[in-house]
Amino acid sequence: MAKTIYVLNGPNLNLLGTREPQIYGRAQLKDVEALCRKTAKNHKLDIDFRQSNLEGEIVNWIQEAGAKKAAGIVLNPAGYTTTSVAIVDALKAVKVPAIEVHISNIHAREEFRRHSMISPAVQAVICGCGIHGYALAISALAVLTGKSKG
């Protein structure tokens, strides 16, 4: 039976492809979802792909992933990276491995973006790889959960 990875996307990622394409590229969120599904299928994993501009909804999804014993969480917290104690607390409360993903290299951007509140609550951080960071995160979770095909 395949295990599920929750791929959770934070605020403004619904605008991917049109919002600051010089930073985030031209791929749209539907392209990210297709990449995630293809990568997960290669590892015999399922994807539950979601996006919200609402912090509380993301917290609820993290808790749901824990309750459903998901194989892992790939989280792009976007604008909540630097501000969300609630998301950090939810990640710490569930027993689900999580990887933080950022399309851009947050460490090469404005000073306020360089500190992630989320990072201490996850197993790994991938940033600056464009949308391919999502595929890397899914592959890493496959290794962490013993679902890697290689």
Side-chain angles (χ1 to χ4, degrees):
M1 181 160 107
K3 297 284 271 171
T4 300
I5 291 179
Y6 278 58
V7 180
L8 306 178
N9 295 280
N12 298 312
L13 285 164
N14 55 307
L15 301 176
L16 196 59
T18 60
R19 176 181 172 240
E20 299 182 276
Q22 71 280 11
I23 294 172
Y24 302 108
R26 297 231 177 256
Q28 297 179 352
L29 198 58
K30 67 181 182 179
D31 302 318
V32 176
E33 182 174 4
L35 175 64
C36 289
R37 292 194 185 286
K38 179 181 177 186
T39 305
K41 184 177 180 184
N42 288 340
H43 294 289
K44 296 183 174 35
L45 293 163
D46 290 326
I47 291 293
D48 192 326
F49 192 91
R50 302 176 186 189
Q51 185 277 327
S52 180
N53 294 322
L54 305 175
E55 182 180 32
E57 192 163 36
I58 295 167
V59 168
N60 287 340
W61 293 339
I62 292 167
Q63 292 176 4
E64 178 184 313
K68 291 189 174 181
K69 298 184 183 348
I73 298 170
V74 173
L75 172 64
N76 185 338
Y80 293 129
T81 303
T82 60
T83 63
S84 184
V85 172
I87 290 174
V88 169
D89 287 348
L91 287 166
K92 288 181 175 181
V94 301
K95 304 292 187 239
V96 177
I99 296 180
E100 177 182 354
V101 172
H102 298 281
I103 294 168
S104 68
N105 179 355
I106 62 172
H107 304 291
R109 302 215 26 221
E110 303 94 334
E111 186 65 37
F112 75 92
R113 294 185 194 274
R114 295 179 188 169
H115 176 74
S116 169
M117 291 187 70
I118 307 300
S119 295
V122 298
Q123 281 63 44
V125 179
I126 299 171
C127 69
C129 296
I131 68 168
H132 300 290
Y134 286 85
L136 294 170
I138 291 166
S139 294
L141 283 170
V143 170
L144 289 172
T145 61
K147 289 293 218 171
S148 176
K149 62 177 191 160

